[in-house]
Amino acid sequence: MKPIVILISGSGSNMEAIVATARRERWEATLGAQVAAVISNRPGAAGLARAAELGVPAEALDHKAFASREAFDAELIARIDAYRPALVVLAGFMRILTPAFVAHYEGRLVNIHPSLLPAFPGLDTHRRAIEAGCRVAGATVHRVTAELDHGPILEQAAVPVLANDTPEALAARVLAQEHVIYPRAVANLLQNM
Ligand code: GAR
């Protein structure tokens, strides 16, 4: 079995899309894979409750309880590795990762970012795309490397930026596409493992 560990910080809609797709497509039988756990750095993240409702083991590891980024990442590695993951999936995990964390999961760490990378790494991507006058925006699934929001691209989806678009409306349009491309990218990776 190839265990998948999903890291979240917020609402967990991408996590839910991956869990739902894994069940619909019977990944256990077809890919020998299953979502083993969901871990959040925010104890109050709505996605944790969502995961529990879905019957997926859900844990919180509060980064505020740690004196340094290194100490938090070391404990996070220990929690994740308890599940012996084939793949670690960042799904709205809003933490900058230490080089040690990235190196530990080299080749099995992926992220989704709400822009058409390499445009708009970092935060506030939808407002920045609108202000730049972009006619298209979108989302990118990529392998995680030491540089924030870089790394080889695995999947992208584009959506139009509409006249009078708001960051919120654009974000919702992009998120709907994230829910399509992220489960697909994860399945493709698992297939080739
Ligand atoms: C998603 O739009 C994801 O692309 C973004 O956070 C949102 C999480 O939503 N990730 C980042 O901005 C990472 N830099 P979700 O919790 O509902 O999946």
Side-chain angles (χ1 to χ4, degrees):
M1 191 56 66
K2 301 167 196 160
I4 305 163
V5 173
I6 304 180
L7 305 186
I8 65 166
S9 299
S11 64
S13 70
N14 277 291
M15 173 277 298
E16 190 168 5
I18 292 166
V19 170
T21 304
R23 289 179 180 174
R24 193 176 61 248
E25 296 180 350
R26 302 188 306 110
W27 285 5
E28 276 194 55
T30 57
L31 297 172
Q34 68 171 359
V35 179
V38 173
I39 303 176
S40 171
N41 65 306
R42 293 198 186 125
L48 273 184
R50 244 167 156 166
E53 280 164 26
L54 290 164
V56 178
E59 300 180 16
L61 182 65
D62 189 349
H63 64 272
K64 294 197 185 110
F66 293 82
S68 70
R69 200 174 281 285
E70 286 71 22
F72 172 73
D73 276 12
E75 178 59 22
L76 184 59
I77 286 174
R79 295 283 196 99
I80 294 169
D81 282 357
Y83 297 100
R84 303 187 165 277
L87 201 59
V88 177
V89 174
L90 308 178
F93 187 62
M94 305 305 279
R95 295 277 306 167
I96 291 173
L97 302 166
T98 57
F101 184 97
V102 174
H104 185 80
Y105 294 110
E106 190 184 351
R108 47 189 180 132
L109 185 60
V110 292
N111 182 43
I112 191 159
H113 182 75
S115 78
L116 293 173
L117 290 173
F120 308 120
L123 297 175
D124 221 3
T125 54
H126 305 299
R127 185 188 54 74
R128 289 157 66 205
I130 291 169
E131 285 181 5
C134 294
R135 297 303 197 261
V136 289
T140 304
V141 180
H142 64 99
R143 290 187 184 276
V144 176
T145 57
E147 198 177 348
L148 180 72
D149 297 332
H150 282 69
I153 291 171
L154 299 169
E155 286 264 1
Q156 282 187 316
V159 304
V161 179
L162 305 179
N164 303 316
D165 232 341
T166 62
E168 294 73 24
L170 179 56
R173 208 174 310 119
V174 170
L175 192 62
Q177 292 306 309
E178 293 184 38
H179 298 161
V180 176
I181 63 172
Y182 212 1
R184 190 162 69 206
V186 168
N188 282 338
L189 282 173
L190 292 164
Q191 191 133 40
N192 295 314
M193 278 178 162

